[in-house]
């Protein structure tokens, strides 16, 4: 009998949730991975970090994910970097990196792979360029987003008299969000936030809903979580059926009804999304300019759906992407644990499909309420 076939009482489930949350806080407190860091980059299987210690050279550290070794445990917060925690003051300003490139005395590099620790010789071997952000990303002028829509799409956006008691309004960042929301509305997709129309100043208007914090706080027990996850799974299946990959399945993009019984997906920009998925992290490590080269797919949405379930159940977030993998601590208790593990497989082909996720969730038995 699998864990999914076993009825887990709400009392047992909630006690395990609290245990996992407490364990996570203990690991975060004990780890020095992020203490004193100036900048970090997390790729598919590699962590890059810059650290500054007073009166010492800047330290660059690269840690490779080799499970069940020192480096893998460091990334899962089960071991620390092999130096005393650097203080939080005297951090490196990234605008000084150009000068550092020409002075090897100012920076020392270390590589941790498996159980081996080695010093990186030569400044040219340290990829300082990773840490210099190129802020050339282009966003549409929010005042022009609605104006750039086709006449047919504009006609689908009636003018709304905004009432803050029943509405939420925002300036859209990208026209793709409006186009996708209109497509979802045209197909009558359930559990996708409803785009009501626009205001005369160019904002788009939605029904007023609760944020994910309120929804999560009021979704208690196996039955309630199963209901919410099935709603979100169905919404994602329907989005995929009309060719929309969400890309950014995070708790902040989940909204809830006032009675906390219904969940809705929002944020359909389909722009640069979550990077925790392995193939997405690998692609973004190479380039971020052309998003058509980043392999967002139904499989990457499945991966992030697994992460979404975990974050929603445990009501927090990880410090590293490796915490949420097999061997990490950031996984929910039964009966949802095995579903999540089959969502977050490293290979896209090894993951469940969203239809399989829905079937697995439907099969979870729930405690009988008295």
């Amino acid at each position: 009998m699998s864990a999914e076939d076993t009825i887990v009482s709400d009392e047992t489930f909630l006690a395990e949730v609290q245990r996992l949350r407490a364990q996570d806080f203990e690991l975060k407190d004990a780890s020095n991975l992020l203490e004193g860091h100036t900048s970090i980059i997390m790729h598919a299987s590699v962590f890059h970090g810059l650290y500054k210690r007073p009166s010492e050279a800047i330290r660059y550290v690269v840690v490779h994910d080799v499970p069940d070794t020192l480096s893998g445990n460091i990334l899962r917060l089960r071991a620390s970097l092999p130096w005393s925690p650097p203080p939080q003051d005297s951090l490196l300003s990234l605008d000084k990196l150009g000068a550092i490139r020409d002075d090897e005395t100012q920076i020392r590099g270390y590589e941790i792979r498996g159980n081996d620790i080695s010093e990186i010789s030569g400044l040219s071997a340290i990829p300082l360029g990773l840490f210099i952000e190129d802020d050339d990303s282009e966003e549409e002028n929010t005042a022009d987003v609605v104006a750039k829509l086709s006449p047919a799409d504009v006609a689908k956006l009636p003018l709304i008299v905004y009432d803050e008691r029943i509405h939420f309004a925002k300036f859209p960042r990208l026209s793709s969000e409006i186009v996708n929301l209109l497509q979802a509305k045209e197909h009558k997709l359930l559990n996708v936030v409803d785009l009501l129309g626009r205001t005369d100043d160019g904002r788009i208007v939605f029904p007023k809903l609760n944020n994910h914090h309120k929804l999560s706080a009021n979704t208690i027990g196996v039955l309630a979580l199963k209901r919410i996850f099935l709603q979100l799974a169905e919404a994602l299946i329907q989005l995929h059926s009309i060719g929309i990959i969400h890309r950014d399945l995070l708790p902040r993009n989940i909204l809830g009804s006032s009675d906390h019984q219904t969940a809705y997906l929002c944020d359909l920009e389909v722009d640069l999304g979550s990077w925790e998925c392995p193939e997405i992290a690998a692609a973004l490590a190479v380039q971020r300019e052309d998003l058509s080269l980043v392999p967002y797919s139904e499989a990457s949405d499945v991966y992030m759906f697994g992460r979404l379930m975990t974050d929603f159940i445990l009501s927090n977030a990880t410090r590293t992407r490796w915490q949420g993998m097999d061997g990490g601590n950031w996984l929910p208790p039964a009966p949802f644990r095995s579903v999540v593990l089959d969502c977050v497989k490293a290979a896209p082909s090894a993951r469940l499909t969203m239809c399989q996720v829905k079937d697995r969730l439907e099969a979870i038995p729930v405690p009988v309420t008295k």
Side-chain angles (χ1 to χ4, degrees), residues 116-152:
D116 298 324
I117 303 172
S118 58
E119 186 165 0
I120 299 173
S121 60
L123 192 57
S124 61
I126 298 176
L128 292 178
L130 284 175
F131 302 99
I132 301 177
E133 295 185 2
D134 182 10
D135 192 17
D136 289 336
S137 58
E138 295 185 4
E139 293 187 6
E140 299 179 42
N141 185 330
T142 55
D144 297 334
V145 170
V146 173
K148 289 180 179 179
L149 295 172
S150 69

Side-chain angles (χ1 to χ4, degrees), residues 77-93:
L77 308 190
R78 299 189 184 279
S80 284
L81 293 170
W83 66 63
S84 58
Q88 293 294 328
D89 57 356
S90 189
L91 296 182
L92 168 68
S93 173

Side-chain angles (χ1 to χ4, degrees), residues 105-338:
T105 65
Q106 292 193 55
I107 186 166
R108 298 182 68 178
Y110 300 88
E111 181 175 28
I112 306 175
R113 186 191 297 269
N115 294 316
D116 298 324
I117 303 172
S118 58
E119 186 165 0
I120 299 173
S121 60
L123 192 57
S124 61
I126 298 176
L128 292 178
L130 284 175
F131 302 99
I132 301 177
E133 295 185 2
D134 182 10
D135 192 17
D136 289 336
S137 58
E138 295 185 4
E139 293 187 6
E140 299 179 42
N141 185 330
T142 55
D144 297 334
V145 170
V146 173
K148 289 180 179 179
L149 295 172
S150 69
D153 283 338
V154 173
K156 298 173 186 175
L157 290 172
L159 282 172
I160 301 291
V161 178
Y162 175 71
D163 183 343
E164 65 178 6
R165 295 170 299 176
I166 60 173
H167 294 144
F168 168 76
K170 70 169 187 175
F171 286 104
R173 192 176 70 91
L174 295 170
S175 57
S176 58
E177 179 178 21
I178 300 176
V179 172
N180 289 329
L181 286 167
L182 288 174
Q183 190 176 0
K185 189 179 184 76
E186 181 179 340
H187 286 82
K188 297 181 172 59
L189 300 194
L190 300 175
N191 302 106
V192 175
V193 67
D194 185 21
L195 175 58
L196 300 176
R198 59 190 170 94
T199 61
D200 55 8
D201 62 354
R203 291 175 293 167
I204 51 178
V205 183
F206 305 90
K208 192 168 189 176
L209 297 167
N210 287 326
N211 62 31
H212 74 276
H213 295 294
K214 288 186 178 180
L215 180 62
S216 177
N218 289 278
T219 305
I220 300 172
V222 174
L223 176 60
L225 286 165
K226 176 179 175 178
R227 181 188 67 250
I228 293 298
F229 293 153
L230 280 171
Q231 292 171 359
L232 296 175
E234 181 60 30
L236 200 55
I237 289 169
Q238 292 182 13
L239 284 175
H240 289 171
S241 74
I242 60 174
I244 296 175
I245 305 300
H246 191 283
R247 302 189 182 193
D248 202 21
L249 290 167
L250 297 172
R252 67 169 181 259
N253 292 325
I254 306 300
L255 301 173
S257 58
S258 58
D259 63 1
H260 316 299
Q261 298 300 300
T262 308
Y264 301 90
L265 281 177
C266 65
D267 189 6
L268 301 189
E269 291 178 351
V270 296
D271 190 39
L272 179 63
S274 308
W275 51 266
E276 288 91 342
C277 183
E279 65 269 23
I280 304 304
L284 292 176
V286 177
Q287 65 86 37
R288 302 169 69 94
E289 292 76 26
D290 185 354
L291 294 185
S292 68
L293 300 178
V294 181
Y296 290 109
S297 67
E298 293 184 13
S300 64
D301 269 0
V302 169
Y303 186 98
M304 290 310 302
F305 191 84
R307 292 296 302 271
L308 168 66
M309 286 194 288
T310 303
D311 292 350
F312 194 90
I313 291 170
L314 298 181
S315 300
N316 209 333
T318 58
R319 287 189 177 172
T320 80
R321 57 185 301 276
W322 295 276
Q323 286 182 263
M325 297 179 178
D326 198 1
N329 70 294
W330 199 244
L331 293 165
F336 299 101
R337 188 184 189 93
S338 62

